[in-house]
Amino acid sequence: TGVDGRDDVVSHALAREEELRVETLRSEGCAIALVSGHAEIFGSELARGQSVKIGGGKKVAVFTFHGATIEITGKVEIAYVAGETPMVSYANAHAVLNAKRERAGAAGSSEEGPRVMCVGPTDVGKSTVCSILCNYAARSGQAPLYVDLDLGQGALTVPGTICAAPVDAQIDLEEGIPLEMPLVYFYGDLTVNNPEYYKHIVTRLGALLDERSKANDDARAAGCVVNTMGWIDGMGLELLLHAREALKIDHVLVIGQERLYGQLQQKLAGTDCQVFRMQKSGGVVERTQEFRRATRDRMFKEYFYGPTGELAPASQTAYFSQISLYRIGGGPRAPASALPIGQTASTDPMRIAPVVPSTSLLHSVLAVSHGKTQGDLLNSNVAGFIYITEVDMIQKKFTYLSPCPGELPSNVLLVGNLKWLGLDN
Ligand code: ATP
């Protein structure tokens, strides 16, 4: 019998360099246990005899370099063993990066460690490769910074943000990346309609990376691993190239698209940035719009209720008079494609516009800014998020959920276009 004495257990024997791909049911998760040998899930090593719970609606791969026996407890959508994976090439990429980390960390060195960026179209496994590289680095005693520039399917905190967090231990398979000190910037939307503002926060992040590496030798040597959006044409490519420069990336890993690889090689010729092509794993599953929406909802839920639903967020009220609401970019703009040819939108992309409270804030996720003055807002990261559950226009107050009880750390809130329908949807 398996976990909790259950008898719905299936055992899988893996030979060297094979992986067991598991898709859980949407409605329930499963438990995965390593019975013998060595195995890892996206670079996080499994401890023998211990079982890991994988939530509903997830897709994972249990890989082994030398062979292992794995047990799955619970019903799953599908579980199969695959012999062909790009894991050895990912491990080789890690070895190249780690050699650079070691050089940079040697006594007396002032070299920068590797700054890596994974790029490619949607659903090629960019976030997964970033996790694998961070886990391998953490397992060899390094603590790289995981930077997520993906607004729609970011791995660190709520969607609509750009953020960074150090990974100093392998990523916990149940709880995700520990976020004791994440650095979060609020963009406020799932897609980039305001490229200037997006670039502005990426540039800010770049300046902070430099400060961090000046202040701390270990951080300098460990470098960073950057996940990006799957938008790779036109403005998407421009944003990638901008991020490459702003974050001083020296290794670009292109996953799963030769065209993008060719384009980047040409554009980056003559710079000291190396472009590598990485194979896409056959295990990466294409996700539907509906699946992506469900993943985003889960990220919001996890933020307010904890990864395993263990938090009870506090419901609080605030009077309109107690808080200041702002929107960056002066409100939703018509996309350029909707304007007559030759005209550009007149709104200043960096304008900070006060927002008058109204019922349209219902179900919005707002950011609590660290900015003290209106002028600070463009450059400040955020302390966290609140979720508006009620707007009372008569008493001029709203009710909100916050993961922390007590007063908000600041009364300056940023409004974007992030909506979540809450637990009931
Ligand atoms: P996006 O463009 O949306 O950010 P992405 O390129 O970052 O996507 P991932 O999120 O890394 O792609 O992977 C897509 C899905 O495939 C995830 O659910 C991930 O867990 C799953 N996946 C990745 N590699 C494997 C594998 N080898 N076997 C099974 N599932 C996998």
Side-chain angles (χ1 to χ4, degrees):
T1 53
V3 175
D4 302 333
R6 287 169 59 167
D7 56 8
D8 48 351
V9 187
V10 179
S11 180
H12 299 265
L14 302 183
R16 64 193 296 263
E17 292 174 18
E18 284 188 340
E19 72 183 17
L20 173 65
R21 295 178 182 155
V22 184
E23 269 182 63
T24 56
L25 296 171
R26 208 145 152 208
S27 52
E28 61 181 292
C30 71
I32 293 181
L34 172 68
V35 179
S36 67
H38 294 273
E40 55 183 49
I41 297 183
F42 302 148
S44 282
E45 259 188 316
L46 295 175
R48 206 167 302 157
Q50 191 194 1
S51 87
V52 177
K53 289 200 175 68
I54 305 295
K58 295 222 168 155
K59 308 164 199 295
V60 299
V62 191
F63 176 79
T64 178
F65 278 101
H66 304 291
T69 308
I70 310 292
E71 265 178 13
I72 299 182
T73 304
K75 257 205 289 177
V76 295
E77 185 70 45
I78 187 169
Y80 68 97
V81 176
E84 230 177 81
T85 84
M87 288 300 289
V88 170
S89 65
Y90 297 166
N92 289 340
H94 161 71
V96 171
L97 301 173
N98 234 33
K100 180 155 191 186
R101 290 190 183 104
E102 274 162 22
R103 277 199 307 279
S109 165
S110 57
E111 249 181 75
E112 284 287 323
R115 295 192 180 189
V116 194
M117 182 159 109
C118 289
V119 304
T122 49
D123 290 330
V124 289
K126 296 181 295 299
S127 329
T128 305
V129 174
C130 290
S131 299
I132 293 171
L133 293 176
C134 283
N135 276 327
Y136 286 172
R139 281 165 58 186
S140 54
Q142 304 277 350
L145 199 66
Y146 188 128
V147 177
D148 208 326
L149 304 182
D150 189 355
L151 299 173
Q153 301 282 310
L156 291 179
T157 183
V158 302
T161 55
I162 281 182
C163 42
V167 180
D168 58 2
Q170 67 171 17
I171 301 168
D172 187 294
L173 289 162
E174 293 176 7
E175 313 243 313
I177 294 175
L179 286 177
E180 276 102 49
M181 282 177 17
L183 181 69
V184 184
Y185 283 97
F186 184 68
Y187 175 78
D189 212 335
L190 303 174
T191 50
V192 184
N193 306 312
N194 185 347
E196 284 90 328
Y197 179 50
Y198 183 86
K199 285 184 186 172
H200 176 81
I201 38 188
V202 175
T203 305
R204 269 303 287 163
L205 195 65
L208 287 165
L209 280 188
D210 291 345
E211 279 170 31
R212 183 172 182 269
S213 87
K214 255 197 221 125
N216 179 325
D217 284 339
D218 290 340
R220 171 178 53 77
C224 64
V225 178
V226 182
N227 183 30
T228 58
M229 292 186 282
W231 186 22
I232 53 168
D233 304 311
M235 177 56 71
L237 180 59
E238 188 182 320
L239 294 176
L240 284 181
L241 289 165
H242 170 266
R244 208 288 305 165
E245 209 173 319
L247 305 181
K248 304 204 176 84
I249 299 294
D250 55 8
H251 292 76
V252 176
L253 309 185
V254 187
I255 307 170
Q257 221 215 38
E258 294 205 21
R259 184 167 179 270
L260 179 65
Y261 173 68
Q263 276 176 316
L264 288 175
Q265 265 199 325
Q266 280 174 13
K267 301 242 182 217
L268 297 175
T271 68
D272 53 8
C273 178
Q274 284 175 285
V275 186
F276 298 88
R277 216 181 87 208
M278 309 290 288
Q279 216 187 318
K280 170 187 163 184
S281 166
V284 181
V285 195
E286 252 181 53
R287 291 165 296 176
T288 57
Q289 285 303 329
E290 163 58 18
F291 189 91
R292 285 170 183 272
R293 203 186 54 79
T295 308
R296 284 197 289 269
D297 284 344
R298 195 178 65 224
M299 295 298 284
F300 283 124
K301 180 173 157 214
E302 285 185 6
Y303 178 80
F304 290 103
Y305 291 88
T308 50
E310 73 284 8
L311 299 179
S315 182
Q316 296 170 75
T317 44
Y319 286 93
F320 297 164
S321 57
Q322 295 172 304
I323 48 144
S324 315
L325 297 167
Y326 295 100
R327 180 187 281 281
I328 293 171
R333 282 200 291 177
S337 57
L339 294 169
I341 289 170
Q343 273 200 24
T344 48
S346 57
T347 325
D348 173 4
M350 304 295 268
R351 191 178 123 209
I352 301 167
V355 174
V356 181
S358 73
T359 50
S360 65
L361 288 175
L362 187 64
H363 299 314
S364 292
V365 175
L366 310 183
V368 183
S369 178
H370 276 309
K372 301 269 181 297
T373 64
Q374 198 173 334
D376 278 352
L377 290 183
L378 282 176
N379 294 330
S380 300
N381 55 322
V382 300
F385 305 90
I386 62 167
Y387 173 57
I388 307 291
T389 53
E390 216 183 306
V391 181
D392 183 339
M393 292 306 289
I394 299 186
Q395 298 204 41
K396 301 207 178 321
K397 62 175 189 182
F398 57 67
T399 310
Y400 62 90
L401 283 188
S402 157
C404 321
E407 261 185 46
L408 292 175
S410 147
N411 61 358
V412 179
L413 301 181
L414 291 177
V415 183
N417 299 323
L418 295 183
K419 293 265 181 176
W420 176 47
L421 290 181
L423 284 186
D424 307 328
N425 83 90

